[in-house]
Amino acid sequence: MPIPAGLSGQLAGLLGPRGWVAAPDAAPWQRDWLDRYGEPPLGVARPASTAEVAAVMRLCHAAGVAAVPQGGNTGLCGGAVLDRPGGVILSLSRMAAIGVPDPASGAIEVEAGAVLATLHQALDGTGLMFPLHLGAEGSARIGGLIGTNAGGSHAFRYGMMGDLVLGLEVVLPDGTVWDGLRAVQKDNAGYQLRRVFVGSEGSLGIVTRAVLRLFPAPRQRASALLALPDLAAAVAFGTRLRAEAGEFLTGLEFFSDLGLDLALKHVSSVGYPLSIRGGAYVLVEVASGSDLVPLDDILGGVLEWGMEAGLVLDGALAASEAQRAAFWRLREEQPEGQRLEGPQLKHDIAVPPGRIAEFVTSAAALCEALLPGVRINPFGHLGDGNIHYNLSPPQGAADFAGTEARLALRLARLATDMGGSFAAEHGLGRSKVALADALRPPTERALMAALKRAFDPRGRLNPGVVVGQPESCP
Ligand SMILES: Cc1cc2nc3c(=O)[nH]c(=O)nc-3n(C[C@H](O)[C@H](O)[C@H](O)COP(=O)(O)OP(=O)(O)OC[C@H]3O[C@@H](n4cnc5c(N)ncnc54)[C@H](O)[C@@H]3O)c2cc1C
């Protein structure tokens, strides 16, 4: 086939009809999940191998054209799409192979385009599991999860995505391939390069393959849904639960009464199984790889203590796998309930877990002062202090009356003043770079900009993400 002139033609020649989708057919890849970002690309490259990824990067590099890696495009900060027209979106979706699990080493090799839920399914029945779980697991891909250092609902027990990566293969902005596909936990041979790529949101290199850690699949689980008077009670209950359940505690999630209302109003597949409503709700899960651990007794005992102490108003232990799934659906549909309610502001906060209730109380006063009546829907991960502090406009109002930036800055300051973070598990992407520039200490900002220059001197790999446009770098 003759190769037409120009980058689009070169990529078409390199990748063939399945591997190159030229504009205007590239529209399905153009916008981010929340439909806030995304300019028309030159086209979408869909390579089928590391060699093809490297060849795409060499061509983009030579042409000085921006390239943006995209996984499942479920990221919430706009990092997987273009901020200017004419660049190339590099989708890893055709590189989705999942290797054979190695039970002796507790590891598996996967390609970056593998979908997280597909990995879970592939491990079913092997006695092993990959412990990362999140609401978008049916679409999010391994490369994107590494790119954002995703957290999810089991992070406090098993760690974030970066803690689960043993080795990486990465294509650098000029097309060079770094083979760091080691399969060991202990590897101190110099700077921790794999750690540098984790959470770099596709701004330093393109992950093509990874070796991931696996854990023994639990043989038994016990789950409970609880209604509590408020978040302070949830924190106190969580503290006791950690002490009693120790290593068996694998899930400790929370959501608000407004969040429950919105989920029940908009998501037909959820139901509320308790007879009493509360000010806060907690989902607890304990699990063990042994049949001998009395999980029901441990959970039941703490529940009884919580009720006697007045911390728990009502609660139910899941009596079946279907009921357990229904409890989790109620928690996981919290973002969807709020999305379907209309405009929203998302803030991905982390504070020390013991200070969650304090943050939520102070933040509510701050929000009320800026926008009286704003509807506050905090939910998230009680176990690690990660609060999705999401807002809906006051009842009857169409928007946030221009308070968005001030709300974001003040909430971020409150979190950092409490020893926390304004970008807990979703990253910075495009949406939080200005916020980060306002809050990052100058030394931190300069180090990150220097790192970006070292890996991507021309600033053509996902420009504008994490450290802003190269011209704005110090
Ligand atoms: C309903 C819902 C629930 C969610 N729940 C959680 C949650 O509990 N915890 C959590 O952490 N996140 C959550 N998220 C956010 C999102 O799912 C995660 O950020 C996820 O890691 C993104 O994966 P992805 O494949 O969709 O990545 P994308 O959105 O495609 O990309 C995300 C970033 O990674 C980069 N990237 C993509 N592929 C690669 C690659 N191969 N190499 C290098 N960089 C790459 C992109 O350029 C971009 O900057 C949720 C999202 C939704 C919609």
Side-chain angles (χ1 to χ4, degrees), residues 33 68-76 79-80 92 112 133-136 139-145 147-153 201-202 205-208 331 335 381 388 425-426 462 465:
W33 180 273
V68 174
Q70 189 177 97
N73 198 15
T74 67
L76 298 173
L92 277 294
H133 284 277
L134 42 80
S139 305
R141 296 176 187 269
I142 297 302
L145 296 158
T148 56
N149 191 19
S153 48
E201 300 185 64
I206 297 173
V207 174
T208 43
R331 160 64 187 90
H381 315 290
H388 299 300
E425 63 175 4
H426 297 157
N462 216 352
V465 159

Side-chain angles (χ1 to χ4, degrees), residues 1-385:
M1 183 173 91
I3 299 178
L7 181 61
S8 183
Q10 289 174 313
L11 288 166
L14 173 75
L15 301 169
R18 283 195 68 203
W20 177 244
V21 183
D25 296 336
W29 289 266
Q30 182 178 322
R31 300 290 292 171
D32 76 311
W33 180 273
L34 296 172
D35 199 20
R36 291 184 300 173
Y37 298 91
E39 295 298 322
L42 178 71
V44 179
R46 302 178 65 235
S49 67
T50 300
E52 285 190 358
V53 174
V56 169
M57 289 314 295
R58 276 197 296 275
L59 287 174
C60 289
H61 188 72
V65 166
V68 174
Q70 189 177 97
N73 198 15
T74 67
L76 298 173
C77 298
V81 293
L82 288 156
D83 66 345
R84 294 175 192 188
V88 169
I89 289 180
L90 205 150
S91 166
L92 277 294
S93 58
R94 287 177 70 211
M95 293 178 61
I98 294 176
V100 179
D102 174 356
S105 306
I108 189 166
E109 187 175 316
V110 295
E111 284 189 316
V115 170
L116 179 58
T118 312
L119 174 60
H120 291 150
Q121 284 152 19
L123 292 168
D124 273 353
T126 64
L128 295 165
M129 60 120 180
F130 184 65
L132 193 89
H133 284 277
L134 42 80
E137 64 192 32
S139 305
R141 296 176 187 269
I142 297 302
L145 296 158
I146 293 171
T148 56
N149 191 19
S153 48
H154 294 62
F156 80 97
R157 169 71 176 83
Y158 296 101
M160 297 177 75
M161 187 67 184
D163 301 305
L164 304 171
V165 171
L166 295 173
L168 285 181
E169 178 187 77
V170 180
V171 176
L172 301 177
D174 65 357
T176 306
V177 179
W178 173 57
D179 181 351
L181 274 176
R182 289 151 209 160
V184 289
Q185 217 179 330
K186 293 185 174 174
D187 175 23
N188 283 345
Y191 297 124
Q192 299 294 295
L193 287 180
R194 72 171 196 270
R195 286 280 178 181
V196 173
F197 289 109
V198 169
S200 67
E201 300 185 64
S203 67
L204 303 180
I206 297 173
V207 174
T208 43
R209 284 193 289 168
V211 180
L212 304 177
R213 287 180 73 184
L214 300 177
F215 291 79
R219 291 228 180 111
Q220 55 154 341
R221 272 191 288 239
S223 315
L225 183 72
L226 316 176
L228 303 96
D230 51 32
L231 263 177
V235 170
F237 181 79
T239 307
R240 175 75 176 229
L241 190 64
R242 282 167 190 270
E244 296 294 325
E247 80 208 62
F248 303 118
L249 186 60
T250 54
L252 185 55
E253 301 280 297
F254 77 97
F255 53 94
S256 72
D257 199 43
L258 173 62
L260 176 60
D261 267 341
L262 297 180
L264 293 173
K265 179 175 167 190
H266 294 295
V267 184
S268 58
S269 63
V270 304
Y272 182 61
L274 307 180
S275 44
I276 298 177
R277 295 282 291 255
Y281 302 89
V282 168
L283 174 57
V284 178
E285 193 155 284
V286 287
S288 171
S290 156
D291 296 324
L292 304 175
V293 180
L295 289 181
D296 284 336
D297 293 350
I298 294 173
L299 194 50
V302 188
L303 202 52
E304 210 174 293
W305 170 85
M307 285 181 157
E308 277 165 15
L311 297 176
V312 176
L313 303 173
D314 196 6
L317 286 170
S320 64
E321 188 53 34
Q323 201 173 19
R324 171 183 173 266
F327 289 177
W328 274 102
R329 206 159 45 246
L330 199 49
R331 160 64 187 90
E332 280 167 357
E333 294 293 0
Q334 293 297 309
E336 190 61 2
Q338 188 155 26
R339 187 182 73 81
L340 293 170
E341 177 72 358
Q344 58 168 322
L345 296 178
K346 287 176 175 281
H347 306 100
D348 179 27
I349 301 289
V351 293
R355 301 186 73 180
I356 289 182
E358 185 189 338
F359 175 87
V360 169
T361 305
S362 304
L366 182 161
C367 291
E368 185 62 26
L370 272 176
L371 185 61
V374 65
R375 287 178 292 159
I376 301 170
N377 181 22
F379 62 89
H381 315 290
L382 196 69
D384 57 31

